[in-house]
Amino acid sequence: MATSASNITSTHPAVFVLMGIPGLEHLHNWISIPFCSAYTLALLGNCTLLFIIQADAALHEPMYFFLAMLAAIDLVLSSTTLPKMLAIFWFRDREISFYGCLVQMFFLHSFSIMESAVLLAMAFDRYVAICKPLHYTMVLTGPLITKIGMAAVARAVTLMTPLPFLLKRFHYCRGPMIAHCYCEHMAVVRLACGDTRFNNIYGIAVAMFIVVLDLLFVILSYIFILLAVLQLASQEARYKAFGTCVSHVGAILAFYTPVVISSVMHRVARRASPHVHILFANFYLLFPPMINPIIYGIRTKQIRERVLGLFLRKDA
């Protein structure tokens, strides 16, 4: 009995090995340059946004609270994967513990879902501001904003909590090599033996539920906004109303466009090299956290003025 007990091995490996970008290993050092640059911009941009919004009482309004949520999510989202990617590219540090992999996956997918929810909340904010301006402060109160934030977190955690437990039950007989830069759900599932159909269906169902539902409500919000703006009397008023939405539309495009492109690539270009799909997946993680602070910094007058004021004070 003692002998047989000692021969029982764990059903999962102690560590996984992240391969980085298969087929482009010889270019890892060069690829790390834009990755590191994008991460640095994401850190600087989002930290600056959070500092300015927290420090300036004039920016303690619903629109900027949602923007602060977006910046915080982008910081966590990029920091969940980029440091490990750079360790792979620079130091060939490819190992990640099994539980570390599950934690990275949980944070990655959870905060992606949270970002989608916050973009939807920001669309609701623009809808109320333009379609019901007289009720704006009465509708978007502090308690409601807090509840929206908590709902975004609760939805993400509820949907993603089953994943680690579903993956823990598998026996991984296809080796520990993950053909990716980070622990993505389906990349880990491919290493598992046994019936993985539920994982496949659950992953697709969650992705479709989030993207289709959130994007549908965002589109509906902008249809109502468009109808309201077109009813404004002067052209100047229409331009001003549309101008308040440009930054948010840019953030939506930055988040959802890579998702759609990656999804289309997986179905249309199935025979494409694996590194093509992985590069698109990395672009999805890198681009929104890097570009969102730039979009809002350039397009939002209040933030632009405070950023310029911050740097001018430093120069003085």
Side-chain angles (χ1 to χ4, degrees):
M1 289 293 289
T3 305
S4 62
S6 65
N7 287 335
I8 296 174
T9 58
S10 174
T11 57
H12 59 74
V15 297
F16 284 122
V17 179
L18 296 165
M19 295 173 64
I21 305 177
L24 297 181
E25 289 89 351
H26 60 294
L27 296 176
H28 275 179
N29 285 332
W30 291 105
I31 293 170
S32 71
I33 296 172
F35 277 47
C36 184
S37 301
Y39 183 46
T40 303
L41 285 173
L43 290 178
L44 289 174
N46 288 294
C47 285
T48 302
L49 276 181
L50 287 171
F51 173 76
I52 289 171
I53 293 169
Q54 187 276 329
D56 195 334
L59 297 180
H60 293 178
E61 297 177 1
M63 172 183 170
Y64 300 105
F65 286 137
F66 288 130
L67 180 55
M69 290 182 197
L70 189 67
I73 289 167
D74 280 340
L75 278 174
V76 176
L77 197 56
S78 54
S79 297
T80 298
T81 53
L82 263 296
K84 184 60 182 178
M85 281 191 210
L86 294 176
I88 294 169
F89 296 155
W90 289 340
F91 309 116
R92 308 293 186 266
D93 181 14
R94 298 178 177 180
E95 289 190 354
I96 183 169
S97 71
F98 178 80
Y99 290 105
C101 184
L102 295 186
V103 169
Q104 186 189 59
M105 182 193 311
F106 177 81
F107 274 87
L108 169 66
H109 294 306
S110 294
F111 278 84
S112 294
I113 292 171
M114 288 180 211
E115 178 146 354
S116 182
V118 171
L119 288 172
L120 174 57
M122 293 172 86
F124 176 65
D125 168 80
R126 290 300 84 205
Y127 163 75
V128 177
I130 292 172
C131 299
K132 301 181 184 296
L134 298 177
H135 300 93
Y136 184 71
T137 54
M138 290 184 287
V139 173
L140 283 164
T141 60
L144 178 62
I145 293 168
T146 302
K147 288 175 183 176
I148 290 171
M150 291 174 66
V153 173
R155 182 181 73 158
V157 171
T158 301
L159 289 173
M160 288 298 104
T161 296
L163 282 189
F165 296 100
L166 289 171
L167 291 170
K168 191 179 176 183
R169 66 192 176 93
F170 287 124
H171 178 67
Y172 292 87
C173 61
R174 294 190 174 94
M177 307 291 287
I178 298 176
H180 219 302
C181 299
Y182 53 85
C183 290
E184 191 267 335
H185 174 235
M186 292 311 300
V188 177
V189 168
R190 291 188 191 101
L191 302 180
C193 300
D195 189 355
T196 61
R197 282 178 298 177
F198 183 78
N199 283 68
N200 294 332
I201 293 168
Y202 187 78
I204 293 169
V206 168
M208 292 298 292
F209 170 74
I210 297 300
V211 173
V212 173
L213 190 68
D214 288 1
L215 201 51
L216 175 64
F217 282 115
V218 167
I219 291 169
L220 283 174
S221 296
Y222 273 97
I223 289 171
F224 288 123
I225 288 170
L226 181 63
L227 293 174
V229 169
L230 292 176
Q231 290 175 3
L232 295 174
S234 69
Q235 190 173 12
E236 184 181 350
R238 288 196 290 270
Y239 279 135
K240 187 176 180 181
F242 275 130
T244 65
C245 299
V246 169
S247 298
H248 182 244
V249 171
I252 290 169
L253 291 174
F255 182 78
Y256 284 110
T257 303
V259 174
V260 173
I261 291 174
S262 181
S263 178
V264 171
M265 284 287 296
H266 272 290
R267 285 153 184 78
V268 175
R270 289 183 178 180
R271 295 183 181 179
S273 300
H275 65 256
V276 174
H277 297 292
I278 292 171
L279 285 171
F280 267 108
N282 289 332
F283 180 73
Y284 160 67
L285 282 181
L286 283 167
F287 190 63
M290 177 190 70
I291 205 69
N292 284 341
I294 297 172
I295 292 171
Y296 280 95
I298 292 172
R299 291 293 314 176
T300 308
K301 182 182 177 183
Q302 294 89 331
I303 291 176
R304 185 171 66 246
E305 288 176 349
R306 282 152 182 81
V307 170
L308 290 173
L310 188 67
F311 285 105
L312 288 174
R313 279 202 302 272
K314 283 185 177 179
D315 291 338

